[in-house]
Amino acid sequence: MSMTEPVVPVTRFAPSPSGHLHVGGARTALYAWAYAKGRGGRFIIRIEDTDQKRSSDAASVGFLKDLDWLGIRWDEGPTFTSDDGAVVGGGPNGSYFQSERLTIYNRYCEQLIAQGKAYEAWETTEEGDALRKEAMARKEAFRYRFRGEITAEQRAQFVREGRSAVVRFRTPQVAITIHDEVLGEATLPAGEVDDFVIRKKDGFPTYHFAVVVDDELMGVTHVMRAQEHFTNTAKHMVLQDALGFRRPAYGHLSIIKNPDDSKMSKRDKDKVLRKAVKEKALTSPPIGSVTAEEWTRWITDENVQLDLEGAIRLADALKVTLPEINVDDFRRSGYLPETICNFLALNGWSPGGDVEKFDLEFLKARFSLDRVIKTPAKFDRIKLLAFNTDAINAMPREEFVRRCRQHARVFRPEFIERFDSARFELLMNATHERSKTLDEPFRANGFFLVADDALLFSDDKNVRKALGIGTVAADGARSGLEHLRAMRSLLGSATDWTQHALETAANSYAVEHAAGKLGAVAQPLRVAVSGTTVSPPIWDTLVLVGRTSALARIDRCVAWATALA
Ligand code: GLU
């Protein structure tokens, strides 16, 4: 089959569910989705969970959630209820979990054995190792080959000894040419592929076997997957021929790298944390981050990685941002799914004509494999953030509020609890313009959640300047601290706690006592209620903090600054 034939394409994304969905995997899914959906075809999700040790149900669900969040919907695959309530998945070719398809694989496996195209191999692990060592001693690459028939008696003896067999494919000794729509052609010389295992001792098929059987039975016409599978394709081709299956077209995709050419991996998070720990010369874990035990294991061995939750807590404590690697990380950081899709699509493909910003509909209409690059794409976070900022700025206010509410429900529930709907909206209104991500209104404004008596005032030069600590005010002029004291009594008797009333009161005070400079009055108030000189517009902030808390915070700030002054 060639990609130019007018077939209705069927593509699939076939993740092995260990860990989280990496952006590279998401891009594979996106390309496969766009290819099929732009040509009236079908897109399938299949969960490749035949490696029992490494697969988990939680990871499968996580992958599906991530794809759903990105807006990559599947026509066939695991049944899943989307965030918007739509039920996706199911289909005539299930189960879409390989672990539930063992009888199917066995049927084909037995067929190959009956035809003499596959055979049982009974070596123990030790015997297998010995064969490998012998080859090494001969300075040969080890390739398992058929070692002769065994009799029924020998077989019975192996069973009595408690051995179990793997099933190996009897690979024909011929040259194999792989045609790839992205990488071009490559030929493996005869004898390169050994008699590889197709069924493991635990009765599960290997990846190679399951993938070939499923791609055929599910009618897959075009396989898009990571470049690491390129040479595996030779194994898949010989199996397809032996089973009389059709040959799908292949497109192998390069990996996505960091700009410095390193692999984008989980380790990047640990790197950032280790650097911060070193800079701060920390010798024990910050309270509430990781346990002493985890810390010691991690700090004494550069190869140990913290689990995600621990890494997030430590990053919070160290006030560093973890580099996002998985789809879920980007979501947590407040990136928009459409921006991630747009950006990922560009990491390895381009529509041409300098077009950079586009949506899924555009991608669907324009995606083709001949514009996919062969070399690794470089993931430019600065550009991604710029894309996200542009999209957020262009978003109507109501949409921003709606998205932030959705984001907060999952990642910042404490803000939903803290503010009623109207106040939540007020905070979003006050922060929209300055936000680069959906998380920024929350990340930057933790002071709203702090108990009044636990708010810390930052003792930095901006705060000191705002309050006039350590400087002498011009003759007759009031310091920031004095303005704060005066405003405390004004606000204490204010009956109307609205932006308009508060601003009007501050304005007339400023005209009389601060040469009309509203900032000289507003900035000390900001420090008092937020702890720093940066917050959303002050009158909104005062309303959001609320009258009682605002007054309590001003009192504490006055006391704190008086002691310093
Ligand atoms: N389960 C394989 C992986 O996650 C998929 C390979 C394929 O698409 O054939 O790498």
Side-chain angles (χ1 to χ4, degrees):
M1 195 180 298
S2 123
M3 295 236 178
T4 48
E5 269 176 43
V7 286
V8 176
V10 177
T11 62
R12 84 311 191 267
F13 177 57
S16 306
S18 59
H20 294 265
L21 180 59
H22 186 274
V23 282
R27 188 195 57 181
T28 303
L30 185 64
Y31 286 2
W33 171 88
Y35 190 90
K37 300 316 287 175
R39 292 167 177 76
R42 277 182 302 130
F43 173 64
I44 301 176
I45 300 280
R46 180 174 73 225
I47 304 292
E48 303 210 322
D49 54 353
T50 55
D51 186 343
Q52 288 193 289
K53 279 189 275 301
R54 295 180 50 203
S55 306
S56 84
D57 289 351
S60 302
V61 175
F63 276 46
L64 299 176
K65 259 197 194 146
D66 290 342
L67 291 169
D68 181 59
W69 177 74
L70 287 170
I72 303 175
R73 290 272 171 100
W74 50 104
D75 303 297
E76 278 183 50
T79 311
F80 180 83
T81 307
S82 165
D83 255 357
D84 63 13
V87 178
V88 293
N93 300 302
S95 164
Y96 296 93
F97 289 84
Q98 287 187 329
S99 60
E100 294 173 0
R101 299 171 62 82
L102 296 195
T103 35
I104 301 176
Y105 307 127
N106 278 331
R107 196 162 67 232
Y108 287 101
C109 191
E110 295 306 329
Q111 177 191 318
L112 288 180
I113 294 174
Q115 293 171 339
K117 294 176 181 169
Y119 58 90
E120 291 177 337
W122 290 88
E123 286 87 11
T124 58
T125 314
E126 294 74 35
E127 288 166 351
D129 288 347
L131 289 174
R132 212 160 282 127
K133 273 198 197 127
E134 279 168 32
M136 262 168 61
R138 291 195 305 271
K139 301 207 166 17
E140 283 172 11
F142 176 64
R143 292 196 181 85
Y144 191 103
R145 298 270 178 240
F146 183 60
R147 302 179 69 219
E149 302 290 348
I150 58 163
T151 63
E153 225 155 88
Q154 275 172 315
R155 189 180 188 281
Q157 175 59 26
F158 286 148
V159 173
R160 271 197 301 278
E161 285 172 17
R163 296 187 183 215
S164 39
V166 297
V167 175
R168 288 182 179 270
F169 180 65
R170 207 162 173 166
T171 304
Q173 307 285 300
V174 292
I176 307 164
T177 299
I178 307 168
H179 303 273
D180 189 280
E181 299 292 328
V182 175
L183 300 176
E185 259 185 34
T187 300
L188 270 77
E192 191 71 16
V193 181
D194 69 348
D195 286 3
F196 54 96
V197 175
I198 59 174
R199 187 168 68 200
K200 298 178 274 189
K201 285 187 180 169
D202 64 5
F204 275 63
T206 55
Y207 155 66
H208 304 301
F209 195 64
V211 89
V212 164
V213 170
D214 288 346
D215 282 345
E216 167 72 15
L217 297 187
M218 295 179 183
V220 171
T221 61
H222 298 75
V223 171
M224 271 152 251
R225 62 185 171 200
Q227 228 171 63
E228 65 185 14
H229 291 297
F230 179 66
T231 48
N232 289 336
T233 309
K235 294 183 177 170
H236 304 172
M237 289 166 64
V238 286
L239 280 174
Q240 284 153 358
D241 292 346
L243 289 160
F245 289 170
R246 295 160 292 185
R247 174 117 58 242
Y250 289 96
H252 287 89
L253 310 169
S254 63
I255 68 167
I256 301 181
K257 288 187 158 182
N258 286 315
D260 68 1
D261 222 31
S262 62
K263 215 175 142 193
M264 259 181 99
S265 91
K266 275 205 308 230
R267 283 180 191 283
D268 297 352
K269 295 184 188 178
D270 293 84
K271 260 194 231 159
V272 166
L273 292 171
R274 286 183 200 281
K275 187 161 165 259
V277 163
K278 215 167 173 189
E279 273 168 14
K280 297 193 165 81
L282 284 192
T283 50
S284 58
I287 296 162
S289 59
V290 295
T291 64
E293 218 171 282
E294 282 171 316
W295 170 268
T296 311
R297 258 177 9 99
W298 181 72
I299 213 78
T300 50
D301 184 351
E302 291 266 318
N303 293 318
V304 172
Q305 293 175 31
L306 289 176
D307 66 24
L308 186 61
E309 298 304 318
I312 290 173
R313 284 197 304 270
L314 186 56
D316 276 349
L318 295 171
K319 298 211 170 8
V320 293
T321 313
L322 292 176
E324 300 87 355
I325 306 291
N326 302 315
V327 170
D328 190 44
D329 300 333
F330 288 96
R331 181 177 184 186
R332 183 187 300 273
S333 291
Y335 285 90
L336 306 170
E338 64 269 36
T339 301
I340 296 288
C341 284
N342 180 176
F343 190 72
L344 280 182
L346 281 179
N347 271 259
W349 174 82
S350 68
D354 289 339
V355 181
E356 283 208 310
K357 301 268 177 76
F358 48 79
D359 61 10
L360 285 177
E361 283 307 306
F362 177 95
L363 179 66
K364 226 165 80 170
R366 299 286 289 276
F367 183 77
S368 67
L369 284 168
D370 54 6
R371 296 192 65 89
V372 172
I373 56 164
K374 291 182 196 183
T375 48
K378 299 269 172 79
F379 196 86
D380 179 350
R381 290 171 189 278
I382 296 169
K383 186 163 176 176
L384 171 63
L385 188 60
F387 269 38
N388 208 60
T389 309
D390 290 350
I392 283 183
N393 286 345
M395 200 177 265
R397 182 60 52 84
E398 314 77 70
E399 180 64 6
F400 179 71
V401 176
R402 191 183 69 77
R403 300 263 199 135
C404 285
R405 190 170 272 131
Q406 255 178 1
H407 179 82
R409 276 198 198 108
V410 183
F411 299 106
R412 301 283 186 179
E414 55 290 5
F415 277 85
I416 302 267
E417 282 154 31
R418 170 76 172 83
F419 294 123
D420 63 20
S421 178
R423 277 163 197 261
F424 187 89
E425 205 168 318
L426 173 58
L427 176 61
M428 297 309 121
N429 282 336
T431 48
H432 185 179
E433 269 168 35
R434 295 183 306 153
S435 293
K436 298 184 167 85
T437 68
L438 295 180
D439 198 53
E440 220 162 301
F442 312 107
R443 184 185 309 190
N445 292 319
F447 70 87
F448 284 116
L449 305 177
V450 175
D452 298 333
D453 58 4
L455 182 70
L456 290 178
F457 303 104
S458 165
D459 187 4
D460 61 45
K461 79 173 190 307
N462 293 336
V463 165
R464 285 180 168 251
K465 185 166 166 234
L467 296 174
I469 300 171
T471 48
V472 185
D475 251 4
R478 294 184 178 185
S479 70
L481 177 55
E482 283 161 335
H483 290 317
L484 192 58
R485 283 201 195 101
M487 282 305 292
R488 166 63 178 92
S489 73
L490 261 178
L491 296 180
S493 54
T495 45
D496 190 6
W497 199 264
T498 60
Q499 287 96 322
H500 182 69
L502 294 168
E503 187 171 357
T504 310
N507 243 328
S508 31
Y509 170 87
V511 167
E512 214 170 313
H513 302 288
K517 282 193 232 144
L518 188 57
V521 182
Q523 208 56 349
L525 281 170
R526 191 189 303 281
V527 171
V529 293
S530 76
T532 70
T533 49
V534 187
S535 84
I538 183 63
W539 318 117
D540 290 332
T541 302
L542 283 170
V543 168
L544 284 165
V545 168
R547 182 192 162 100
T548 314
S549 283
L551 295 177
R553 289 177 184 208
I554 295 172
D555 285 340
R556 274 189 74 236
C557 185
V558 166
W560 174 78
T562 307
L564 273 184

